[in-house]
Amino acid sequence: MIVTIDRQYGSGGRLVGEKLAALLGYPFYDRELLKIAAQESGMHEDVVEHFDEKPVSSLLYSTYLYTTMSVTDALPLNQKLAFAQFDVIRKVAEKGSCVIVGRCADYVLQDRKDCFNVFISASRPVRHERLAKYYGIPEELAEKTIRKQDKMRSEYYNFFTQRKWGEASNYHLCVDAGLFSLDGAAELIAAAVRQLEEK
Amino acid sequence: MIVTIDRQYGSGGRLVGEKLAALLGYPFYDRELLKIAAQESGMHEDVVEHFDEKPVSSLLYSTYLYTTMSVTDALPLNQKLAFAQFDVIRKVAEKGSCVIVGRCADYVLQDRKDCFNVFISASRPVRHERLAKYYGIPEELAEKTIRKQDKMRSEYYNFFTQRKWGEASNYHLCVDAGLFSLDGAAELIAAAVRQLEEK
């Protein structure tokens, strides 16, 4: 079973994914995908990281585009980077059961029958607290940061998938990790995976 | 614990709610709310049913408004009906644990700490099949019916709650009842409720 996990910024989704992978004994892929994509595409890891889950038409991208290379060279770069990640996701999934975080993996693997798509959210207070605790972002900047990061993730997702990021009907299971705790959420998802495996 | 269940049209959400209520030994409220709202508001049951989960600004409403009564009398009627249902939801929740389907119950009960909000979806093929099997709606009309009914539910929900219907982050748990089966979905939600009760 391939479990894909998308997540609101600061919801603890990555950690839920890690805990889930540990519970199921599956390999876990989050930033690991970047390294493999960099290796396989021949691009520098910093470049791959720079574009990771960023919207295609961002100002950052346009600036990069017009200052560093010709339009012809540059236009396919963003897509090339995304597609390099998508290729890695497909290869990783072919190796067997795993947990993959973000990067439109639900969409990339949509034709597989063994793909289980999860979305992790959390309430604003929980996310603010996590931002302060784990990223050192003060309360007065938390809301702005959350909006900016969620916007980037949703624009990236919506562009490549033509779906709407965070809409319940795109996923098989959506869990509020704030209400259940990270361990509780991972246990719920593991129970769901086991129920599907028994089918 | 008060479990609220919202659901896409044809997803089997009502049945999941019934099965969940049976698993937990909770009373179940869906159309039952209409009867109580009619009794308590003094309005005829047909009128209450007519406006059930319908958008406030629908053409139907406008027609009703301008042909049957003066604007002054009519304006608060739709809200009066919704608020009668909301009152019933609050009263029902005060009596103790239960499962409530639809009618913005998640929003109405948002200040309670013991309220658990669920959303049920299902893929298009599953919903089309259910429409044919249970409502006798042929395949060629299924998509149109789904869009119309989901639109009414979302407009009703969005109007009263100022949130977006079907957005994962509004709910604590969203489950694809097509993937898990109705029994499987009910079991997953029951496991989640038990996890929260043990906290």
Side-chain angles (χ1 to χ4, degrees), chain A:
Chain A
M1 182 82 60
I2 315 296
V3 186
T4 71
I5 296 201
D6 214 335
R7 69 290 180 226
Q8 290 187 315
Y9 182 75
S11 66
R14 186 179 57 80
L15 289 171
V16 171
E18 273 185 6
K19 286 168 185 286
L20 175 69
L23 282 172
L24 297 170
Y26 286 4
F28 173 76
Y29 298 98
D30 181 13
R31 300 178 61 82
E32 294 77 3
L33 294 168
L34 301 184
K35 277 199 180 167
I36 311 175
Q39 283 160 8
E40 303 220 338
S41 66
M43 284 179 276
H44 194 280
E45 211 174 307
D46 289 351
V47 177
V48 177
E49 188 171 336
H50 176 79
F51 284 101
D52 187 35
E53 289 193 286
K54 296 271 168 57
V56 166
S57 56
S58 72
L59 180 62
L60 202 62
Y61 173 60
S62 309
T63 313
Y64 187 70
L65 188 76
Y66 292 110
T67 55
T68 63
M69 51 183 71
S70 79
V71 174
T72 327
D73 280 347
L75 267 180
L77 177 65
N78 197 302
Q79 289 202 14
K80 200 178 148 194
L81 282 157
F83 290 153
Q85 285 203 11
F86 297 165
D87 276 343
V88 171
I89 287 169
R90 274 186 215 98
K91 281 180 192 168
V92 148
E94 269 163 34
K95 283 200 226 165
S97 296
C98 61
V99 175
I100 304 174
V101 174
R103 299 164 189 90
C104 308
D106 55 337
Y107 173 76
V108 175
L109 304 174
Q110 66 181 329
D111 292 332
R112 294 184 68 113
K113 296 285 177 205
D114 58 353
C115 197
F116 179 51
N117 309 132
V118 176
F119 188 83
I120 302 293
S121 66
S123 69
R124 280 304 211 264
V126 168
R127 295 166 77 189
H128 285 205
E129 203 186 315
R130 289 186 55 78
L131 259 63
K133 195 168 169 185
Y134 298 105
Y135 305 106
I137 297 169
E139 178 61 29
E140 61 269 27
L141 290 180
E143 192 52 35
K144 198 180 164 189
T145 310
I146 283 174
R147 282 177 194 272
K148 189 183 156 195
Q149 296 292 337
D150 277 0
K151 191 167 181 279
M152 284 209 283
R153 283 184 187 172
S154 65
E155 285 182 3
Y156 171 87
Y157 182 89
N158 299 352
F159 177 84
F160 282 108
T161 67
Q162 301 294 305
R163 298 177 186 165
K164 270 193 93 178
W165 184 77
E167 208 163 76
S169 56
N170 289 336
Y171 311 92
H172 299 121
L173 193 68
C174 307
V175 184
D176 179 336
L179 183 72
F180 287 102
S181 83
L182 304 186
D183 285 306
E187 276 163 30
L188 270 186
I189 303 165
V193 171
R194 289 190 197 111
Q195 194 191 111
L196 294 173
E197 281 176 340
E198 281 167 18
K199 259 188 174 179

